[in-house]
Amino acid sequence: MPALVIDHLVKTYGDVRALDDISFTVEAGELFGFVGANGAGKTTAMRIALGVLRADSGTVTWDGSPIDLARRSRIGYMPEERGLYPRMKVGEQLVYLARLHGMGRADAERAMAHWTEVLGVADRRDDAVEKLSLGNQQRVQLASALVHGPEILVLDEPFSGLDPVAVGVMSEVLRGEAARGVPVIFSSHQLELVEQLCDRVGIVRSGRLVASGGIDELTALERPRWTLEADLPAAWTPGVPGVTAARVSERMWSVEAADAAAAPAVLASAVQSGRVTSFVPNRPTLTELFRDVVAEPEGEAA
Amino acid sequence: MIWLIARREFRTRALSKASLVTSSVMIVLIVVGALIAKPFLESDGDAETIQVASGPTAALAPYLQAVAAAQGTDVEVIEVVDPATDALDEGVAAVLTGAVTQPELFVDSADDAVVGLVQAAVQAAALDAQVEALGGDPAQVSQALAGSTAAVIVLGDADGFDSGEFFAGFVVILVLFFVLVQSASVIMMGVVEEKSSRVVEILLATVRPSTLLGGKVLGVGLYALMQAASLMLPLVFAAVYLDLLGSIGISVGALLLNFSVWFVLGFALFTVLFGGLAALVSRQEDLGSVTTPMMLLMMVPLYLAIYLVPNSPDGPVTAGLTQVPFFAPFLVPMRLAFDAISPLEVASAIVLCLIAIPLFVWLAGRIYAGAVLNTGGRMRIADALRRR
């Protein structure tokens, strides 16, 4: 299966190390979320993946070969700072961009019609881009990344500034593209969205990839934890080996075990001792994970 | 790909309302101006009518006609019995009455050209009368007068200042200068527009910077050429219609050919460089910091062509600078107008320009590629070249 491989990228601007040895892989058909604080190096990494910027060292390959101009025209790109000709009409502009990517006129017209329809801006085709609302401009921007039927999608902050309906439409489109076998990399600060949408995430900090992997992998804990809500005697203990329970409040207990397999035994013990209202595994959210990783002091993060 | 970009540039410029309106207004102004001016210019050429009273004054009529012919003006002399002298009749320039040697001339104003004409005619008549009175033949006298001219040998610069040649050359380079300045600013604004709207980033994801810049220059160049043509053609029409070219004495064809060759070369040289430099800034407001020095720089060859060439059309300095691509687009047309350049020099200047253009394109492309993704303040050229 082809994969987009980002291998040991380094990029410096003067004394600033924008990218410090970043490597990750995005398989075909995979949604990869790229998160990090502002200025962490996400945009630089995406620009290099696209060939708009040149790395000081390291390579980007797709299906085993480096990304040259011909291959680059098969990438759909949405830059962080939106860019369209403000005075050009939506339809004309999309057709022009599709043709720059090597499409014929008829195909380009058809693709433009399709994507403006899907993204809900079909009735604005004959308006200049600057006349559209920001949200609609954003939809057109996404259409410009999709209009030439790309083999790879690189989207920098595709969700910023969108209303919930548009976020839904755009998520659907990204899922659809991934299902078509396209590797999709996108960056976002909306971590809940990343958590819902992505197969895997990469967290960057000061130019380094400090964590990457599947959401489950990343948020899994060394010692699984649960929150138990029940009417239990104050002296209740689960009575399962390797499991400790602490009373947090009147009806709340925090349970920790060496192994997730202990869960049924713990629950059974609680049910015997009193009335249980809920028993939930405690996983950190991506937001918590992100905060932990990014807040760590420089030395430890390395 | 480059044609797609050029086509877009051309279409957005050429089909913009402002451009269409300006072009059509200019065309209409020139054509209507020519149509309106024609009767006025022609009425100037109409024969002036001088009424001569019958009787003794009528003897002046042949002299008037002879003097008018010698001066190259059209005069119609009509003999009238007792002409009106308190006010001139409609269409009459002057009325002449009285004795041949001491006539009375009635005109609207004392500085009419007709006064000098009548003066000369009266003097000629008086001279003839005197010659006859002395027993000589007036015809012989005027023949002798006409035959005696001094041979003039010029010891100074053989190529005297010829205002006709200067004018022809001046028009060519001035039009060239303005077209270049206008196109360069269009290109620069285009580059900065793409940069400030950030569309350049998605363009560069699929197009090489040099292709993008090249397409831009090509599209705007074609547009400028079309615009220049849309002004030149009515101007040529006006000139032909009003018969102005005869008085300048140069052929339109040579002028246009001269203009087009150096337009293309000069355009490629200057606008490519301007386009590259425009990428150094990120906002329209900052464009001045790049344009002003470049405009001033462009005035150097313009002024050299205007001041140096007429003074020393084939001096060593002029000949040397002619071969420098930066100066050639202005110096060569001017020297051609003065006919002070050998075909070999023209050919080598063209060849050198053709060699310089790819170098300029490469340099501008480097600057453009290095600077076009930079945002914020103005970038230094050296930094732009080091980027990427």
Side-chain angles (χ1 to χ4, degrees):
Chain A
M1 208 194 243
L4 183 70
V5 180
I6 308 302
D7 197 24
H8 298 290
L9 288 187
V10 174
K11 176 81 184 173
T12 50
Y13 290 114
D15 295 332
V16 183
R17 216 144 208 233
L19 289 188
D20 193 356
D21 200 25
I22 279 199
S23 303
F24 61 91
T25 302
V26 186
E27 304 282 340
E30 189 174 58
L31 276 157
F32 185 83
F34 211 31
V35 298
N38 295 322
K42 300 183 302 273
T43 298
T44 307
M46 289 175 139
R47 280 180 171 177
I48 291 173
L50 216 75
V52 172
L53 268 183
R54 199 171 293 168
D56 297 340
S57 67
T59 55
V60 180
T61 54
W62 165 245
D63 203 3
S65 47
I67 298 203
D68 54 8
L69 193 70
R71 211 164 263 278
R72 216 193 293 162
S73 71
R74 306 298 313 134
I75 303 181
Y77 178 46
M78 182 162 173
E80 179 185 16
E81 290 177 82
R82 309 302 176 217
L84 292 168
Y85 288 105
R87 277 184 279 276
M88 211 172 169
K89 287 175 185 162
V90 171
E92 235 171 77
Q93 178 141 230
L94 291 175
V95 170
Y96 173 66
L97 290 172
R99 297 196 65 200
L100 273 189
H101 283 84
M103 262 187 160
R105 169 161 281 284
D107 286 345
E109 300 267 5
R110 219 172 301 127
M112 181 276 287
H114 171 70
W115 284 113
T116 46
E117 198 69 53
V118 170
L119 292 165
V121 283
D123 52 341
R124 307 305 299 270
R125 276 175 207 156
D126 289 327
D127 288 330
V129 169
E130 62 184 356
K131 297 221 174 87
L132 270 59
S133 68
L134 278 178
N136 278 339
Q137 288 190 18
Q138 184 100 324
R139 291 169 191 236
V140 176
Q141 188 83 49
L142 183 68
S144 78
L146 294 165
V147 74
H148 56 282
E151 289 170 9
I152 303 169
L153 271 176
V154 178
L155 311 169
D156 206 346
E157 300 276 352
F159 295 102
S160 73
L162 287 184
D163 63 52
V165 178
V167 167
V169 171
M170 211 170 263
S171 310
E172 261 336 287
V173 168
L174 295 191
R175 280 204 189 96
E177 287 299 298
R180 208 161 61 81
V182 174
V184 181
I185 306 183
F186 74 94
S187 69
S188 180
H189 291 302
Q190 278 141 287
L191 298 174
E192 292 85 33
L193 196 65
V194 174
E195 210 170 343
Q196 280 170 31
L197 204 56
C198 289
D199 304 307
R200 293 193 310 126
V201 290
I203 302 178
V204 266
R205 188 183 112 142
S206 320
R208 284 164 177 275
L209 194 69
V210 287
S212 96
I215 301 264
D216 294 340
E217 258 173 76
L218 284 180
T219 53
L221 293 167
E222 250 174 79
R223 289 176 65 79
R225 239 182 269 154
W226 296 264
T227 299
L228 173 69
E229 208 179 332
D231 297 309
L232 293 171
W236 176 76
T237 50
V240 182
V243 177
T244 55
R247 192 174 192 189
V248 184
S249 67
E250 176 69 28
R251 301 187 63 244
M252 293 278 244
W253 300 74
S254 173
V255 183
E256 201 177 313
D259 195 339
V266 174
L267 184 59
S269 145
V271 168
Q272 274 166 17
S273 320
R275 199 171 65 86
V276 175
T277 36
S278 82
F279 182 66
V280 199
N282 248 349
R283 320 190 56 142
T285 60
L286 188 59
T287 312
E288 284 163 339
L289 180 72
F290 178 77
R291 218 178 280 131
D292 282 352
V293 169
V294 170
E296 263 174 65
E298 187 72 21
E300 291 171 45
Chain B
M1 184 101 69
I2 196 164
W3 283 108
L4 263 176
I5 297 165
R7 212 174 128 251
R8 196 200 83 88
E9 290 295 332
F10 182 83
R11 284 177 53 117
T12 34
R13 313 272 167 240
L15 298 182
S16 81
K17 251 183 226 149
S19 151
L20 288 175
V21 169
T22 322
S23 300
S24 28
V25 165
M26 286 305 283
I27 293 173
V28 168
L29 273 184
I30 293 170
V31 172
V32 170
L35 293 177
I36 292 177
K38 176 105 172 169
F40 289 103
L41 289 175
E42 275 179 343
S43 74
D44 261 359
D46 274 355
E48 294 206 73
T49 306
I50 301 178
Q51 287 183 336
V52 181
S54 301
T57 332
L60 277 172
Y63 290 101
L64 285 171
Q65 243 135 18
V67 172
Q71 289 185 355
T73 47
D74 261 349
V75 166
E76 200 183 348
V77 182
I78 305 170
E79 224 183 286
V80 180
V81 186
D82 199 12
T85 54
D86 42 354
L88 297 178
D89 286 347
E90 182 72 26
V92 174
V95 172
L96 199 59
T97 62
V100 171
T101 43
Q102 241 131 34
E104 284 183 301
L105 178 66
F106 299 89
V107 287
D108 274 337
S109 94
D111 40 46
D112 270 0
V114 78
V115 177
L117 191 133
V118 170
Q119 208 73 44
V122 170
Q123 279 170 4
L127 183 64
D128 277 10
Q130 290 297 322
V131 168
E132 231 163 320
L134 291 170
D137 179 359
Q140 250 180 10
V141 172
S142 39
Q143 215 172 0
L145 278 177
S148 42
T149 49
V152 180
I153 296 129
V154 179
L155 296 175
D157 196 340
D159 301 288
F161 186 81
D162 186 323
S163 60
E165 289 173 347
F166 176 74
F167 183 69
F170 184 67
V171 166
V172 168
I173 59 169
L174 206 65
V175 171
L176 184 70
F177 179 76
F178 280 115
V179 171
L180 282 183
V181 166
Q182 213 230 339
S183 318
S185 65
V186 167
I187 288 183
M188 294 176 96
M189 267 158 40
V191 167
V192 176
E193 189 205 15
E194 276 176 3
K195 219 184 141 170
S196 63
S197 73
R198 309 298 308 166
V199 72
V200 71
E201 205 170 329
I202 46 176
L203 297 180
L204 285 184
T206 175
V207 181
R208 271 196 198 90
S210 52
T211 314
L212 190 58
L213 185 59
K216 219 169 217 344
V217 168
L218 203 63
V220 174
L222 287 175
Y223 165 65
L225 205 60
M226 191 197 73
Q227 219 187 18
S230 74
L231 285 187
M232 291 295 257
L233 290 182
L235 274 177
V236 170
F237 158 77
V240 171
Y241 183 64
L242 297 177
D243 202 19
L244 290 177
L245 293 168
S247 49
I248 302 176
I250 33 149
S251 87
V252 196
L255 202 65
L256 285 183
L257 182 73
N258 192 357
F259 176 77
S260 354
V261 168
W262 289 101
F263 172 82
V264 172
L265 292 176
F267 193 88
L269 280 174
F270 286 102
T271 50
V272 161
L273 203 56
F274 275 116
L277 289 173
L280 293 173
V281 298
S282 315
R283 292 175 302 162
Q284 301 284 4
E285 302 93 281
D286 300 333
L287 203 49
S289 68
V290 179
T291 38
T292 314
M294 277 306 284
M295 296 290 167
L296 291 177
L297 209 60
M298 239 167 100
M299 286 191 180
V300 173
L302 177 72
Y303 280 114
L304 277 178
I306 294 177
Y307 294 111
L308 179 68
V309 173
N311 286 324
S312 146
D314 45 9
V317 179
T318 320
L321 288 178
T322 303
Q323 301 304 325
V324 180
F326 189 71
F327 297 102
F330 291 97
L331 290 182
V332 177
M334 199 62 169
R335 292 183 65 196
L336 272 172
F338 274 83
D339 205 13
I341 186 166
S342 68
L344 192 71
E345 274 185 285
V346 177
S348 81
I350 291 179
V351 168
L352 282 174
C353 276
L354 288 178
I355 294 173
I357 288 169
L359 288 177
F360 272 49
V361 170
W362 175 82
L363 183 70
R366 276 289 299 269
I367 296 176
Y368 186 79
V372 79
L373 283 182
N374 177 66
T375 47
R378 184 191 183 289
M379 223 183 161
R380 295 216 321 274
I381 295 178
D383 290 338
L385 287 176
R386 229 178 293 122
R387 274 278 176 102
R388 277 215 119 209

